[in-house]
Amino acid sequence: MAEIIWGLATSHVPSIGAAMDNAKTHDEYWSPLFEGYQPARDWMAQHTPDVVLVIYNDHANAIDLDLMPTFAIGTASHFPVADEGWGPRPVPPVLGHPELATHIVESLVDDEFDITVANQLQVDHGLTVPLSVYTPEPGDSWPCPVIPVLVNVLQYPQPTAKRCYALGQAIGRAIASYPENIKVAIFGTGGMSHQLSGERAGLINESFDHMFLDKIQTDPEELTRITREEYIREAGSEGIELIMWLVMRGAMNPVITRIAETYHVPASNTAAALALFENSENPS
Amino acid sequence: MAEIIWGLATSHVPSIGAAMDNAKTHDEYWSPLFEGYQPARDWMAQHTPDVVLVIYNDHANAIDLDLMPTFAIGTASHFPVADEGWGPRPVPPVLGHPELATHIVESLVDDEFDITVANQLQVDHGLTVPLSVYTPEPGDSWPCPVIPVLVNVLQYPQPTAKRCYALGQAIGRAIASYPENIKVAIFGTGGMSHQLSGERAGLINESFDHMFLDKIQTDPEELTRITREEYIREAGSEGIELIMWLVMRGAMNPVITRIAETYHVPASNTAAALALFENSENPS
Amino acid sequence: MSSKPDIEGTYVFGIEDNRRGYALNKLCSTFTSAENRQLFLGDEASYCDKFDLSPEQRSAILERDWVKMLDLGGSIFYIFKLAQLDKKSVQYLGGIFTGMSTEEFIAELKAGGRHFG
Amino acid sequence: MSSKPDIEGTYVFGIEDNRRGYALNKLCSTFTSAENRQLFLGDEASYCDKFDLSPEQRSAILERDWVKMLDLGGSIFYIFKLAQLDKKSVQYLGGIFTGMSTEEFIAELKAGGRHFG
Ligand SMILES: [Fe+3]
Ligand SMILES: [Fe+3]
C-alpha cells in the first residue's frame, strides 16, 4: 500500500526559480526567503519519497486557450520543460510515474471526478519551481519521479475550494489503494496573496495569508467555505492559486504535524510562503 | 426561465450522414432506417427549440491524444465542421450559444462537475449526424444554435454511467436556472450496440439494445448501475457510447413521454436507433 | 495495475495504450488535413520518418497490417483515417479483424449482426 | 448573465474574455517558440496580420498599450510573454497598471505590498 509521508505547501513564482538558476539566492533581496527554506529542506532531505505529486497550474504554456480543463493529471513517462517565452529553465528533465498516475486517474474517475488525462505534457515554472524549492541542486536528475496534477486557476470559473479539498481526499484514497509499498510526497503550490494586473496590482494581504497558513493545518474545512470571489477579493486575482493547497491538504490525514514554515514579502510581486507538514498517523 | 421541451436519443454513425449527403436515403439498404425516422422528424418540426444541446463524443478529430477531457462543453460562437480525413461534411456552419453555454459551465462547476471548457472547437460527425437526423434538409443554416457537450468514450476510464446521469441532472438544473425564457432540446447520441475492431467486430446485441431503449425512459437509474465493463461486454467496445444517452435522460424530468421510436440493423457496423421523448410536466 | 477490463476479442483503448501507440495514432491524426494526406500518399516512408514510430509500428503502417496496428497501441478511430486514405471501409476492416471477406462480413451484419455470449 | 464577480481594480479572466481576447492571447501564446519570437521582432506588423486581431487589439500590441490589451480581453499570463520579449518585468507592468514608476512599485512591494479594503 502506498503512503503519503509529507506535504509541502509552497509558492511557485518564476523569479524564485530564476534566483536559483542565476545564483542570486545569497543576494540581500533573496537571502531572507532562501534562509527561510533551509529547515524544511534539511528535514525533507532526511525523508525522501519515492514519487511526488505536484498540484499546480499551467501559466499559458502547455494548456491551450482552446481547451481548458478544470483538473488534469499527467500520465506520461516524461514531461519536457516548457519554453515559457524566454527559453526552458536549465533544470533536469522531469520523469513521470505512469503506473501510479494511471491508477490515480482510474480511481478518481470511478470516484466521480471528471479528470482530463494529460497523456503528453510540458511542465512550466508552476511545477519546476516547487521541485527546486524541494531540491535546490538536483544535478543531472530530480530525486524521484513526478506526477503533475493541474488545476485551472486562470479562467473563471475555477473549481471551488470545496471541490479542490474533495479532490485531495479522493487522491488520498487513490494512493492508499495503490498496491505497491511506496512513499509519496504531495506538493500544494501557488499563492500566497498576489495580483499581477489592474489597479490593485501589488496587493498583499498579510492577515489573510497568516490566517490561511494557520488553518490549512488546523481547520481546512473552514477554508473550503471561502468563495472564489472572496479568494480573489482577499488574496488577489492570482492569490486564488491558494485553492491548490487544499488539494494537498485533502490528500493528507485529518491530523498533520507542522515541521517548518516561512513567510516572506516580497518575492517578485507576491507574498511567498512555505509550510511543510508531516502526515501524522491516523487514529483509526 | 429556460425549459427543456424534448430529448432525442439517436445513433450518430458517419454513414447515416453520408447516406443523406449522397442522396441514398431511398436506397434499399437505407430506406428502412430513414422511414423509421419520419414520425419523429414530423413531430420535432412542430416543436422547435431555440437551442439544442448535443451530447456526443469526438472521434479523433478535435480532441487531441495529448489532452483528453472526461466532459467538455463548447462555449464558442461558432464551431467549424471538422475534416475527419475525407474533407468536411457538406453541412451548414454550426453556431453556438455562448451565453447559455457559459451559464451551464459556471453552474456545473459550482455543482462540482470538473468541466473542461472548449473555448474553440471543431465538430465532427458525432455532432453533425444527429443534427441531420433532426433536420435532414437544413438549407443554408441549421434551425437553431447548438451547444456541444463532449463525453470521453474513447479512452478508458470513461465516466461511469452513474456520473453521466448525474451530469445530466446537473445540466437540467443549470438550464432551469437560466433567466431567459427559451426552449431547449437535448440530444443523447451514439450507440446502440456496435464494435468496430477485434474478433468481436460486427457485434450486435438486440436484447441489450431493446432493454436499454425501454429503460432509458422508464428506469434510467437501473442503467446507471451497469458497469463500464458490462457496457463494453454487452454493447461492444463502441456501444459504451450509450452512456451519453444517460446525460440526456438525466437532464429531463423523472416522467417523460415516448413520442417515437425506431430500431434498425445494420447501419454500417452498428445497430441504429432513435427514440424521441417529450418532457412531461413535473408533478411538483 | 490498471483496472482496465480484459474482454476477449475486444480492444479497450486505455491510458497505457495511448502511451504505447502514441506515435502511430499521432501520425494518423495528421490525416485531418488534405495537405498531409497528399504528403503521405506521395512518400509514405519519409512521412513515417517524421514520427517517433517503433520499427514494428512503421512496418505495420507501410504494410497495412491492421491487426498489428491495433496490437501496437493503435486506436481504431485513428487507424480508420489511414483506411479511408486507401478507400477502405469499416466493413473491409471488420472482415480483416474477423477473418472474413468484406462481403461475408457485410452479409453477417445484414443478417442481424454477430452474436456473442 | 455570467456569475463572474466584478471586483474593483481587478481583472477576472473568464470564458467571455477568452472569446473576446482570443486572437490577442493566441498571438502571445506563440512566443513559446524562439523562432516565433524572432519572426515577431523582425516584423511586428506582418506577424500581427497572421492573427484575427481587431484593429484595437492590433494597435494595442504594436503600441504596447498594456492596459488596453487587458481591457480587450488579454490575459496577464499571455501578455506577459510580450513584455518579456521587450525585457520588461512584472514590476514594470505593475507600475503601468497602478500609475507608478517601476521603482515606486518595487518600493511599495518591498515595504510590504499594497493594501486594500
Ligand atoms: Fe502561478
Ligand atoms: Fe461515435
Side-chain angles (χ1 to χ4, degrees):
Chain A
M1 189 186 109
E3 184 197 5
I4 297 178
I5 55 170
W6 49 262
L8 177 71
T10 176
S11 308
H12 65 214
V13 237
S15 55
I16 296 177
M20 287 188 262
D21 300 342
N22 301 311
K24 292 190 175 166
T25 58
H26 298 291
D27 284 12
E28 188 193 342
Y29 183 92
W30 287 110
S31 63
L33 182 74
F34 287 95
E35 281 168 22
Y37 285 174
Q38 204 52 52
R41 284 173 162 176
D42 293 342
W43 189 91
M44 291 186 289
Q46 302 293 320
H47 299 78
T48 55
D50 299 306
V51 54
V52 301
L53 264 70
V54 181
I55 321 298
Y56 80 108
N57 67 289
D58 178 77
H59 303 77
N61 294 305
I63 300 296
D64 202 73
L65 286 160
D66 296 13
L67 198 67
M68 302 188 77
T70 293
F71 297 133
I73 294 183
T75 57
S77 55
H78 74 284
F79 303 100
V81 176
D83 178 345
E84 308 188 29
W86 44 94
R89 268 194 78 200
V91 290
V94 177
L95 301 183
H97 196 305
E99 293 73 26
L100 178 58
T102 300
H103 170 81
I104 292 173
V105 168
E106 292 175 354
S107 173
L108 289 175
V109 171
D110 276 342
D111 220 351
E112 314 212 320
F113 287 81
D114 315 312
I115 301 302
T116 292
V117 182
N119 293 293
Q120 305 281 324
L121 180 71
Q122 299 200 359
V123 290
D124 76 3
H125 70 267
L127 182 131
T128 64
V129 167
L131 289 183
S132 295
V133 169
Y134 167 41
T135 305
E137 287 176 17
D140 289 341
S141 61
W142 297 110
C144 66
V146 176
I147 298 177
V149 178
L150 293 124
V151 176
N152 165 42
V153 296
L154 256 60
Q155 179 177 284
Y156 183 90
Q158 293 86 354
T160 62
K162 182 157 166 273
R163 184 66 173 169
C164 288
Y165 188 64
L167 174 68
Q169 292 176 313
I171 288 174
R173 289 190 292 272
I175 290 172
S177 70
Y178 190 66
E180 259 186 66
N181 278 321
I182 55 172
K183 287 176 182 161
V184 179
I186 184 162
F187 293 15
T189 77
M192 302 218 78
S193 57
H194 66 306
Q195 177 159 326
L196 300 177
S197 63
E199 290 147 34
R200 293 203 311 164
L203 169 151
I204 299 292
N205 186 341
E206 292 208 21
S207 63
F208 185 87
D209 288 344
H210 285 297
M211 179 281 295
F212 195 94
L213 267 169
D214 175 34
K215 300 238 156 122
I216 192 73
Q217 177 190 12
T218 59
D219 193 3
E221 299 270 359
E222 188 177 319
L223 302 177
T224 68
R225 286 188 286 270
I226 300 176
T227 64
R228 269 186 296 253
E229 177 165 353
E230 214 175 327
Y231 274 107
I232 297 172
R233 205 177 280 285
E234 296 293 327
S237 46
E238 281 71 47
I240 193 174
E241 288 182 344
L242 284 170
I243 59 176
M244 296 188 289
W245 293 28
L246 284 166
V247 180
M248 176 272 289
R249 183 64 185 94
M252 298 184 75
N253 291 338
V255 175
I256 58 177
T257 307
R258 191 175 304 242
I259 301 295
E261 179 185 312
T262 187
Y263 180 80
H264 179 71
V265 175
S268 183
N269 288 22
T270 184
L274 173 153
L276 175 64
F277 301 102
E278 185 170 23
N279 217 11
S280 312
E281 293 290 313
N282 257 332
S284 68
Chain B
M1 189 188 107
E3 184 197 6
I4 297 178
I5 55 172
W6 49 262
L8 177 71
T10 177
S11 309
H12 66 212
V13 238
S15 55
I16 295 177
M20 288 188 262
D21 300 342
N22 301 310
K24 291 189 175 167
T25 58
H26 297 291
D27 284 11
E28 190 195 339
Y29 183 92
W30 286 110
S31 62
L33 181 73
F34 288 95
E35 280 167 23
Y37 285 173
Q38 204 53 51
R41 285 173 161 175
D42 293 342
W43 189 91
M44 292 186 289
Q46 303 293 319
H47 299 79
T48 57
D50 299 306
V51 53
V52 301
L53 263 70
V54 181
I55 321 297
Y56 79 109
N57 66 289
D58 178 76
H59 303 77
N61 294 305
I63 301 296
D64 201 74
L65 286 160
D66 296 14
L67 198 69
M68 302 188 79
T70 293
F71 297 135
I73 294 184
T75 57
S77 55
H78 75 284
F79 303 100
V81 176
D83 178 345
E84 307 187 29
W86 43 93
R89 271 195 76 199
V91 290
V94 177
L95 301 183
H97 196 305
E99 292 74 25
L100 178 58
T102 300
H103 170 81
I104 291 173
V105 169
E106 292 176 353
S107 174
L108 289 175
V109 171
D110 277 342
D111 220 351
E112 314 212 320
F113 287 81
D114 315 311
I115 301 302
T116 293
V117 182
N119 293 293
Q120 304 282 323
L121 180 72
Q122 299 201 359
V123 290
D124 77 1
H125 70 266
L127 182 132
T128 64
V129 166
L131 290 183
S132 294
V133 169
Y134 167 41
T135 305
E137 287 177 16
D140 289 340
S141 61
W142 297 109
C144 66
V146 175
I147 297 177
V149 178
L150 292 125
V151 176
N152 165 41
V153 296
L154 255 59
Q155 179 177 283
Y156 182 89
Q158 294 86 356
T160 63
K162 182 158 164 273
R163 184 65 174 169
C164 288
Y165 188 64
L167 174 69
Q169 293 175 312
I171 288 174
R173 290 190 291 274
I175 290 172
S177 71
Y178 189 67
E180 258 186 66
N181 278 322
I182 56 172
K183 287 177 182 157
V184 179
I186 184 162
F187 294 15
T189 77
M192 302 221 74
S193 56
H194 66 305
Q195 176 160 326
L196 300 177
S197 63
E199 290 147 31
R200 295 204 308 164
L203 168 152
I204 299 291
N205 186 343
E206 292 208 19
S207 63
F208 185 87
D209 288 343
H210 286 296
M211 178 282 293
F212 195 94
L213 267 168
D214 174 34
K215 301 237 156 122
I216 193 74
Q217 177 189 13
T218 58
D219 193 2
E221 300 270 359
E222 188 175 320
L223 302 177
T224 68
R225 287 189 285 271
I226 300 175
T227 64
R228 273 185 293 253
E229 176 164 354
E230 213 176 327
Y231 273 108
I232 297 171
R233 206 177 279 285
E234 296 293 326
S237 45
E238 280 71 47
I240 194 175
E241 289 182 343
L242 283 170
I243 59 175
M244 296 188 288
W245 292 27
L246 283 166
V247 181
M248 175 272 290
R249 184 63 185 93
M252 299 184 75
N253 291 338
V255 175
I256 58 176
T257 307
R258 192 175 304 242
I259 301 293
E261 179 186 312
T262 187
Y263 180 81
H264 180 71
V265 176
S268 184
N269 287 23
T270 186
L274 174 154
L276 175 64
F277 301 102
E278 185 170 23
N279 217 11
S280 311
E281 293 289 314
N282 257 333
S284 68
Chain C
M1 269 171 271
S2 166
S3 62
K4 200 185 84 170
D6 189 11
I7 298 171
E8 219 190 309
T10 303
Y11 292 93
V12 180
F13 185 79
I15 293 169
E16 197 267 330
D17 304 296
N18 187 317
R19 201 157 50 242
R20 209 161 37 95
Y22 185 75
L24 195 166
N25 291 319
K26 196 73 181 178
L27 185 151
C28 294
S29 81
T30 63
F31 297 151
T32 52
S33 124
E35 194 189 330
N36 289 334
R37 296 194 286 269
Q38 285 309 317
L39 280 173
F40 176 81
L41 292 175
D43 184 349
E44 298 198 2
S46 59
Y47 199 86
C48 284
D49 291 340
K50 294 192 267 184
F51 298 85
D52 193 24
L53 298 163
S54 70
E56 295 75 22
Q57 289 174 330
R58 186 188 162 91
S59 60
I61 289 173
L62 295 175
E63 293 161 19
R64 303 296 194 270
D65 188 337
W66 304 101
V67 173
K68 200 154 202 180
M69 286 184 230
L70 294 172
D71 288 340
L72 296 171
S75 148
I76 185 66
F77 292 103
Y78 288 91
I79 285 175
F80 181 58
K81 295 189 193 300
L82 175 58
Q84 278 275 339
L85 266 192
D86 291 348
K87 308 220 184 304
K88 301 294 190 194
S89 65
V90 272
Q91 286 76 28
Y92 169 82
L93 292 181
I96 302 270
F97 298 142
T98 57
M100 288 183 230
S101 70
T102 308
E103 293 66 34
E104 285 165 345
F105 188 79
I106 291 174
E108 289 223 17
L109 275 161
K110 281 196 183 170
R114 303 179 65 231
H115 305 285
F116 300 91
Chain D
M1 266 175 271
S2 167
S3 62
K4 199 185 83 170
D6 189 10
I7 298 171
E8 219 189 309
T10 304
Y11 291 93
V12 180
F13 185 79
I15 294 169
E16 197 266 331
D17 304 296
N18 187 316
R19 202 159 48 245
R20 209 160 39 93
Y22 186 74
L24 195 167
N25 291 319
K26 197 74 182 178
L27 184 151
C28 294
S29 81
T30 63
F31 296 151
T32 52
S33 125
E35 193 189 331
N36 290 332
R37 295 195 287 270
Q38 284 310 318
L39 280 172
F40 176 80
L41 291 174
D43 185 350
E44 298 198 2
S46 60
Y47 199 87
C48 284
D49 291 340
K50 294 191 266 185
F51 298 84
D52 193 24
L53 298 164
S54 70
E56 294 76 22
Q57 289 175 330
R58 186 190 162 89
S59 60
I61 289 173
L62 295 176
E63 294 161 18
R64 303 296 194 270
D65 187 338
W66 304 101
V67 173
K68 200 156 202 178
M69 286 184 230
L70 295 172
D71 287 340
L72 296 171
S75 148
I76 185 65
F77 292 102
Y78 287 92
I79 284 175
F80 181 58
K81 294 187 193 304
L82 176 57
Q84 278 275 337
L85 265 192
D86 292 348
K87 309 221 182 304
K88 302 293 190 193
S89 65
V90 271
Q91 286 76 29
Y92 169 82
L93 292 181
I96 302 270
F97 298 144
T98 56
M100 288 184 230
S101 70
T102 307
E103 293 67 33
E104 285 165 345
F105 187 78
I106 291 175
E108 288 224 16
L109 274 162
K110 282 196 184 172
R114 303 178 65 232
H115 304 286
F116 301 91

